Amino acid sequence: GESVGLHLPTLSVQEGDNSIINCAYSNSASDYFIWYKQESGKGPQFIIDIRSNMDKRQGQRVTVLLNKTVKHLSLQIAATQPGDSAVYFCAEKVLTGGGNKLTFGTGTQLKVEL
Amino acid sequence: EPEVTQTPSHQVTQMGQEVILRCVPISNHLYFYWYRQILGQKVEFLVSFYNNEISEKSEIFDDQFSVERPDGSNFTLKIRSTKLEDSAMYFCASSAFMVGSGEQYFGPGTRLTVT
C-alpha cells in the first residue's frame, strides 16, 4: 500500500519579512552543505552551498550559516517574496565518497503570506 | 539556460513489468545521477555515474536497477521488475564537476506509479 509521508515542518512568513530555515545534520565528516529549493511538481533547485571550513556565506538575498559545534545549518532569506514559497532541503556531501552523493534532509515548507 | 530534461513525465506500469526512465543531462556535464523521492518524503540518492561506470550506489540500488548512457546525450534508469514500493518521483541530475560542492542540476522528474 501507500507509505505515509513525513509531516513537513512549515514556516509561514509575511511578504517582505526575513525567513530563517533551519537544518540539523548528523555527519560531522560532511565537507559541503547545500540548500535546495523544490517548488511543487519540480526537481530540486540549487540555492547556495557552504564548505565545512566556513561559517557564513552570502548570496543574492540569501545567507547560509554553519555551526559545526552543534551541527546546525540555517538559510536566511531576506525580504521574502511569494516566489520563495517552496520546500527547502538541506543536503550534505562527503568528498571522499567517490560518487558525489548528496544526502538530503527532510525539508521545510515555506509559505509566504501576502 | 541549459537544463536537464526527463521523459516521460508520468509512467504507469504494472507490478513485475520493466520500465526505462530517460534523461538528457546538460550537454557539457560529465557526472550523472539518479535520485528518487517517495511522496512526501526526502530525496534519496540512488546512483552516480561517470566515464561509463557507476561511481557510487546506495542500498536502494539493488540488482533490479541498472543505468546506461547509450549514446552521447541520454542517460537511462531501468527497473527490471517493478514493485509497488518503487512508486516514487525519480529525478535525474548532472554536474560539470565533482570537486567542491559539484553543483548538481536536477531535472523535473518522472512520476512512476506501479499498480
Side-chain angles (χ1 to χ4, degrees):
Chain A
E2 279 192 21
S3 57
V4 177
L6 295 173
H7 176 69
L8 286 177
T10 299
L11 174 66
S12 294
V13 298
Q14 293 290 319
E15 182 181 5
D17 287 352
N18 296 334
S19 304
I20 300 176
I21 300 170
N22 297 303
C23 176
Y25 65 90
S26 57
N27 189 356
S28 56
S30 291
D31 297 292
Y32 277 90
F33 301 90
I34 308 109
W35 281 100
Y36 278 87
K37 171 186 180 183
Q38 187 177 26
E39 296 174 276
S40 181
K42 296 184 179 180
Q45 179 186 2
F46 175 92
I47 301 173
I48 191 169
D49 61 11
I50 187 169
R51 189 163 183 164
S52 61
N53 62 355
M54 300 170 65
D55 53 23
K56 181 178 180 179
R57 188 168 186 218
Q58 288 186 288
Q60 188 177 18
R61 260 198 329 116
V62 294
T63 301
V64 55
L65 298 178
L66 176 63
N67 185 332
K68 293 184 289 293
T69 303
V70 294
K71 295 182 183 176
H72 184 267
L73 188 69
S74 69
L75 177 70
Q76 300 178 4
I77 304 173
T80 313
Q81 301 168 0
D84 295 327
S85 293
V87 177
Y88 289 80
F89 292 95
C90 62
E92 307 170 51
K93 178 184 165 186
V94 176
L95 289 176
T96 55
N100 211 23
K101 160 188 167 183
L102 293 175
T103 301
F104 283 83
T106 53
T108 297
Q109 174 86 54
L110 176 65
K111 294 185 177 179
V112 181
E113 298 168 350
L114 302 176
Chain B
E1 186 176 328
E3 56 183 20
V4 176
T5 59
Q6 291 185 242
T7 54
S9 57
H10 191 189
Q11 173 88 50
V12 181
T13 189
Q14 289 190 327
M15 193 167 52
Q17 295 297 304
E18 174 183 287
V19 293
I20 297 176
L21 309 183
R22 292 184 165 79
C23 169
V24 178
I26 294 173
S27 62
N28 63 342
H29 285 186
L30 300 176
Y31 304 89
F32 314 113
Y33 317 87
W34 284 101
Y35 292 80
R36 79 172 186 190
Q37 185 178 31
I38 294 171
L39 184 63
Q41 298 190 18
K42 64 176 79 173
V43 177
E44 300 174 289
F45 171 80
L46 292 178
V47 66
S48 58
F49 190 87
Y50 169 69
N51 199 25
N52 282 320
E53 289 184 345
I54 290 175
S55 308
E56 188 175 1
K57 60 182 181 180
S58 70
E59 294 174 351
I60 303 167
F61 195 87
D62 62 21
D63 292 344
Q64 293 300 310
F65 291 86
S66 63
V67 289
E68 191 179 26
R69 186 149 164 86
D71 53 43
S73 59
N74 292 283
F75 180 51
T76 62
L77 174 69
K78 181 193 291 186
I79 309 175
R80 288 189 185 81
S81 178
T82 50
K83 303 187 283 284
L84 293 176
E85 53 265 38
D86 292 328
S87 293
M89 197 76 166
Y90 288 80
F91 293 106
C92 173
S94 68
S95 66
F97 315 104
M98 190 176 284
V99 295
S101 75
E103 183 180 337
Q104 295 181 26
Y105 293 80
F106 284 75
T110 292
R111 179 170 299 285
L112 177 64
T113 302
V114 183
T115 61

